[in-house]
Amino acid sequence: MSAGTGNGAAGLNIALSKGRILEESLPLLARAGVVPVENPLQSRKLVIDTNLPGVQITIIRAADVPTYVQFGAADLGIAGRDVLMEYEGDGLYELLDLRIARCRLMVAEPAGLAARDDPKAWTRVRVATKYVNITRRHFAAKGIQTDLIKLYGSMELAPLVGLSERIVDLVDTGNTLKANGLVEVERIADISAWLVANKASMKMKHVPLKALVDRLARAVGSNA
Ligand code: PRT
Ligand code: MG
C-alpha cells in the first residue's frame, strides 16, 4: 500500500507517540489551533477526533510512526529525529523541525575508561544500543568496525553488567549517565522532533495538508 488512506479522502490523520513526544506536541498543536476532543494523555482511545473537522490524531509507539506515515496509515506524523535516522524506509517527507523533545545522540562510556581512552585511536568498538543502524553508519564513516548489541531500552545498564563498555543513547540533562558512572565521549547528532508526511498525501490532500503544516510552522515560530 502506498496511497495515503490515513483518514478517508478528505480527512487528515496525525500519528503521535505516547510519552515525551505527546506531552510536548499537545501544546504545540494547541498553539496551531488543533485540540483533541479527549485528552490523549488520559484516554485509552487510539484514534481521537480534534476540534478541526476531519482532523484526527492516532496514538502509536514512537518507533512505529515512520512506518504508519510511509504506508499511508497516517498522513502526517511527529517523530524524533533519532527514530527517523534509524528507520530505513524512504517513503516519507521530513517537513518541519518542531524544535521540541530536544536532546542529543551520544557515544558514552564509563568515566574510568574515558580518562585513558582516545576515540581517535578506535579501530573496532563494541557498542550496546537501540540505534544499531545509526551506530553502524556513524562508525563506518570513520573507518571503525562495530560489534553491535541491540537493546530495546536502559542502555545505561550495559556497561555496569559487562555487556559492552560503550553505549549509544539519547542524552538530555546528562543525569542518567552521571547516575550510572558514564560520561559522553562523542556526539553523533542533535535530536528534536520533526513533522513528517506521507508522499501520496502531500499530492492528493495538498490543500488541507499544507494549511495544517503552515499552522504548525507558525506555532513553532511563535515559540522561538
Ligand atoms: O515508550 P516507547 O518504547 O514506545 O518509546 P520511547 O521510550 O522511545 O519513547 P519516549 O517517549 O521515551 O521518547 C520518544 C522520543 O523523545 C525519543 O525518540 C527522542 O526523540 C525524544 N527524547 C528527547 C528522548 C529524550 N529527550 C531523552 N532524554 N528520549 C529519551 N530520553 C531518555 C534517554 O534514552 C535516557 O535514558 O532519557 C534518558 C536521558 O535523559 P537525561 O535527562 O538523564 O540525560
Ligand atoms: Mg518509553
Side-chain angles (χ1 to χ4, degrees):
M1 183 171 73
S2 61
T5 53
N7 191 22
L12 288 175
N13 195 316
I14 311 169
L16 296 174
S17 57
K18 270 217 158 107
R20 249 171 266 253
I21 298 275
L22 186 58
E23 280 161 31
E24 298 196 28
S25 295
L26 288 176
L28 181 67
L29 285 165
R31 284 204 305 283
V34 185
V35 181
V37 297
E38 265 180 65
N39 183 351
L41 295 169
Q42 274 143 30
S43 176
R44 287 181 175 270
K45 268 196 174 168
L46 300 177
V47 181
I48 302 177
D49 289 331
T50 70
N51 61 316
L52 298 183
V55 178
Q56 293 183 318
I57 62 172
T58 302
I59 311 293
I60 55 178
R61 290 293 295 265
D64 288 334
V65 170
T67 308
Y68 272 63
V69 174
Q70 168 161 357
F71 291 97
D75 303 294
L76 291 166
I78 297 180
R81 180 125 196 88
D82 51 317
V83 169
L84 296 170
M85 286 168 71
E86 183 66 13
Y87 183 68
E88 304 231 285
D90 61 355
L92 41 87
Y93 290 124
E94 297 182 6
L95 295 183
L96 183 65
D97 182 354
L98 299 175
R99 305 173 65 174
I100 55 172
R102 292 165 97 155
C103 57
R104 53 199 186 273
L105 187 64
M106 302 293 302
V107 184
E109 64 186 21
L113 171 60
R116 57 187 155 81
D117 198 12
D118 176 10
K120 288 194 190 66
W122 293 348
T123 54
R124 181 167 192 154
V125 288
R126 184 176 162 98
V127 180
T129 187
K130 172 159 117 176
Y131 302 103
V132 289
N133 297 328
I134 299 173
T135 301
R136 190 182 296 109
R137 283 201 306 266
H138 171 76
F139 285 112
K142 304 202 291 179
I144 300 168
Q145 263 187 283
T146 42
D147 298 311
L148 294 168
I149 299 172
K150 165 87 186 184
L151 294 176
Y152 291 86
S154 302
M155 271 75 84
E156 299 88 354
L157 196 56
L160 302 179
V161 296
L163 265 180
S164 71
E165 289 192 296
R166 294 168 184 116
I167 63 169
V168 165
D169 194 9
L170 299 174
V171 180
D172 178 16
T173 61
N175 289 341
T176 308
L177 288 184
K178 201 170 174 192
N180 292 289
L182 304 172
V183 294
E184 303 171 30
V185 286
E186 202 166 77
R187 179 184 296 242
I188 297 179
D190 287 320
I191 303 295
S192 57
W194 277 68
L195 182 70
V196 295
N198 173 266
K199 286 187 176 174
S201 301
M202 282 287 281
K203 291 198 196 94
M204 313 204 338
K205 304 182 183 180
H206 184 77
V207 172
L209 199 144
K210 175 82 166 47
L212 191 54
V213 174
D214 287 347
R215 278 166 174 259
L216 278 163
R218 282 194 296 272
V220 172
S222 70
N223 201 34

